[in-house]
Amino acid sequence: MTSPIFYYDNVNSTNDEAKKLVENYKIMSGLVISDYQKKGRGKFGNNWISMKGNFMGSAFFPVRNYKSIDKLQYEVLKILLNLFIKITKKNNFKIKKPNDLLIGDKKVCGILIESFVNKNRLFAIIGIGVNFIKNPILKNYKTTNFKKEFKKSIVALEFSRILNKEMKKIII
């Protein structure tokens, strides 16, 4: 059985919404997705630039301990890598540690793992951003998107259903 998917038109952050679902509604796991984030986060407090049509989502679930959270980063990147290969039938993706996926040398996906405790239970939140149809132009590194690279449009909602099924494999 998959976790519920919570869809929003617009949020500050899908990670923040996931935390609210646990704290305010006692929902133990799920996938929060949104068409747009006003305050999406990346590593080291960087902003994640949100563009409508791309994927912005956060999976959340309880974990046993902090060691479990440490293992999640690479496991999630491997799941995404395998999904992207399956979707595009191409194998030119690579993991750039600690939290990115690249096509060649261009960033197409990033993840951010956060944790929090609620009622003595430890939860992991895995924020995932994927450039499906647009990508920001950044000074520090190259970016790209699926539409540009593969001439293929991927619908974020459909991707969320596939991702939700795959994430069940790692819920600890």
Side-chain angles (χ1 to χ4, degrees):
M1 186 172 139
T2 58
S3 296
I5 296 173
F6 301 89
Y7 167 77
Y8 298 87
D9 290 329
N10 192 330
V11 295
N12 280 334
S13 158
T14 56
N15 277 24
D16 292 346
E17 289 302 317
K19 187 175 181 185
K20 284 181 198 173
L21 288 170
V22 172
E23 292 176 340
N24 299 338
Y25 301 101
K26 298 174 181 55
I27 296 169
M28 300 302 282
S29 66
L31 178 64
V32 174
I33 61 170
S34 183
D35 285 337
Y36 183 75
Q37 295 182 108
K38 292 179 227 158
K39 297 178 181 175
R41 293 189 296 277
K43 70 178 183 174
F44 306 125
N46 291 329
N47 291 331
W48 178 265
I49 299 170
S50 301
M51 299 175 151
K52 192 169 172 113
N54 290 343
F55 180 81
M56 291 149 273
S58 297
F60 64 96
F61 47 87
V63 292
R64 283 191 275 270
N65 52 44
Y66 285 101
K67 196 173 187 177
S68 302
I69 292 170
D70 290 341
K71 294 177 184 178
L72 283 175
Q73 190 134 310
Y74 191 66
E75 290 181 46
V76 172
L77 287 171
K78 284 193 303 187
I79 284 173
L80 290 166
L81 177 80
N82 290 331
L83 278 178
F84 294 164
I85 291 168
K86 192 184 223 178
I87 288 167
T88 63
K89 311 281 190 270
K90 305 279 186 200
N91 195 6
N92 55 342
F93 297 92
K94 64 183 171 190
I95 292 173
K96 178 183 165 258
K97 290 184 180 180
N99 66 330
D100 294 334
L101 280 172
L102 308 179
I103 299 173
D105 65 342
K106 300 172 189 166
K107 182 174 179 174
V108 72
C109 173
I111 67 171
L112 175 69
I113 298 182
E114 298 178 326
S115 63
F116 70 99
V117 176
N118 181 264
K119 302 202 188 300
N120 296 320
R121 288 197 83 172
L122 179 62
F123 286 83
I125 303 174
I126 304 161
I128 302 168
V130 185
N131 298 333
F132 280 144
I133 63 167
K134 297 176 186 171
N135 58 283
I137 307 301
L138 304 173
K139 286 185 222 171
N140 299 352
Y141 50 87
K142 298 175 189 171
T143 62
T144 192
N145 64 69
F146 276 74
K147 191 172 183 181
K148 185 188 308 180
E149 296 292 329
F150 305 110
K151 312 294 183 251
K152 185 176 186 110
S153 293
I154 297 167
V155 178
L157 185 57
E158 187 57 35
F159 177 75
S160 69
R161 290 185 185 113
I162 297 165
L163 177 63
N164 198 28
K165 286 179 191 170
E166 292 298 313
M167 290 298 289
K168 285 307 268 184
K169 295 175 183 177
I170 63 164
I171 293 180
I172 306 167

